Amino acid sequence: MTARERLDLISVKIERAKEHFRSLEGEVTSYLKSIPYAINTRRDPESRRLVYFVESIRPTSVKLTAMTGDVIHNLRSALDHLAYQLVWVGTGKLPSTRIYFPIADDKAKYIAQRKSQIKGATADAVAKLDALEPYKGGNDALWRLHKARQCR
């Protein structure tokens, strides 16, 4: 398999996530247009100011939740595919099944876990992953993606 073919595998996951996201946007728009919440007011007894509050919210549908999970899964899966390909290129052989794109709760945990999760990747590849700062306090978007997947 060529490097281009390997990258194409990752691109497929990303494109699939984009498709899921577009569908999700439509569902979210429909949900919000249905006005799924009730707002009410009351007077603060001391200041006599009007206080607005959300009285109720209609739960989101199971379909909306599943669609959100599809987006998260495909994006995280694309990162794991990338890690797998980096180890494959670094070692020249098919990696074990325990290869993951390292994302952690802090920098120290990231450094500790990346040793096993991308063992065999080239020093240049590891440096590029390090530059992404895939941990809380570094690249919070990656960290949130990782945490969202763990909640499923």
Side-chain angles (χ1 to χ4, degrees):
M1 183 177 287
T2 68
R4 180 76 248 160
E5 290 169 329
R6 290 181 193 152
L7 288 175
D8 286 344
L9 293 173
I10 297 163
S11 295
V12 166
K13 283 289 191 185
I14 294 169
E15 287 307 312
R16 193 71 184 120
K18 288 178 182 178
E19 289 172 25
H20 285 306
F21 188 77
R22 285 188 291 275
S23 296
L24 177 61
E25 283 180 316
E27 283 292 317
V28 168
T29 299
S30 294
Y31 174 75
L32 294 175
K33 280 184 179 178
S34 73
I35 309 174
Y37 51 86
I39 296 177
N40 208 337
T41 60
R42 68 173 164 247
R43 292 257 175 224
D44 181 283
E46 291 181 21
S47 69
R48 302 296 302 148
R49 288 187 175 173
L50 196 57
V51 177
Y52 291 85
F53 63 95
V54 176
E55 188 170 61
S56 65
I57 301 174
R58 191 178 75 241
T60 57
S61 68
V62 174
K63 180 179 179 182
L64 191 71
T65 305
M67 292 171 80
T68 302
D70 288 341
V71 173
I72 292 166
H73 173 77
N74 277 278
L75 290 174
R76 183 64 170 116
S77 180
L79 291 172
D80 291 339
H81 278 286
L82 174 61
Y84 187 88
Q85 298 304 322
L86 291 174
V87 171
W88 190 354
V89 167
T91 62
K93 57 185 177 180
L94 289 176
S96 75
T97 57
R98 292 195 161 93
I99 303 298
Y100 305 98
F101 188 97
I103 301 174
D105 290 334
D106 58 49
K107 187 175 183 176
K109 288 179 184 174
Y110 162 75
I111 289 170
Q113 74 186 48
R114 78 158 190 235
K115 292 175 186 175
S116 64
Q117 291 180 338
I118 55 170
K119 186 177 183 179
T122 66
D124 186 47
V126 172
K128 285 186 172 41
L129 292 181
D130 289 350
L132 293 174
E133 299 181 324
Y135 45 83
K136 185 177 183 182
N139 188 326
D140 285 345
L142 286 175
W143 177 78
R144 283 191 301 274
L145 174 67
H146 176 66
K147 285 299 181 185
R149 181 144 185 229
Q150 288 180 330
C151 292
R152 292 183 53 205

